[in-house]
Amino acid sequence: DVLDPERLIQCPYNNHHQIRACRFPYHIVKCRKSYPEVAKKLATCPFNARHLVPHADLEDHKMKCNYREFIEQDTANQSSDFQREQKNAVSTWQAPPCGEDWE
C-alpha cells in the first residue's frame, strides 16, 4: 500500500538502506550529506520530493510520475476557484466625499 507509513523504501543514496516511509524524508536529508558524490548525480522530482532520479532520467520521470496528475489537477482546481471568486467578487469600496472646492 502506497499510503502505509510502515512500508519500506530503498534509499537512493545507498541501496543497502531500507527505510520506513514515515522516516524517509529525514533519512534522505542525512544520507545526502553522507554521500555527496551520489547526491550530485541525482535530481529531485518537482511533483514529489521523495523521488530522486539521475539527472539524465529526470525528464522521462516527470512525464511518467504518478504525482504529476495530482499536482496538475490541484493547480487546475485552484485556478478555476480563483476565476470563480473573481467573477463573484463585487467591490463595496466607495470614494470618500470630497471636501475641496476648486472653483
Side-chain angles (χ1 to χ4, degrees):
D1 182 19
V2 178
L3 300 176
D4 180 11
E6 296 300 316
R7 73 185 166 91
L8 294 178
I9 301 175
Q10 183 176 347
C11 174
Y13 299 107
N14 184 328
N15 295 342
H16 299 289
H17 294 173
Q18 296 290 318
I19 302 94
R20 289 180 298 142
C22 62
R23 296 288 309 153
F24 191 74
Y26 306 103
H27 178 85
I28 60 173
V29 169
K30 184 178 120 185
C31 252
R32 182 181 299 128
K33 292 176 185 175
S34 299
Y35 298 95
E37 291 304 312
V38 177
K40 289 178 187 176
K41 298 176 186 177
L42 298 177
T44 304
C45 170
F47 307 115
N48 186 334
R50 294 180 178 200
H51 296 169
L52 298 166
V53 296
H55 286 284
D57 299 337
L58 182 60
E59 289 304 315
D60 185 49
H61 173 82
K62 289 193 308 189
M63 297 303 290
K64 296 177 181 176
C65 182
N66 295 335
Y67 288 86
R68 176 185 179 148
E69 296 171 17
F70 297 124
I71 299 299
E72 289 176 346
Q73 183 179 2
D74 189 44
T75 302
N77 289 343
Q78 287 179 358
S79 177
S80 65
D81 288 347
F82 177 75
Q83 290 173 352
R84 194 176 308 115
E85 288 173 10
Q86 291 293 25
K87 284 182 183 178
N88 296 334
V90 176
S91 177
T92 58
W93 183 85
Q94 294 180 357
C98 181
E100 297 179 5
D101 183 9
W102 287 57
E103 292 188 20

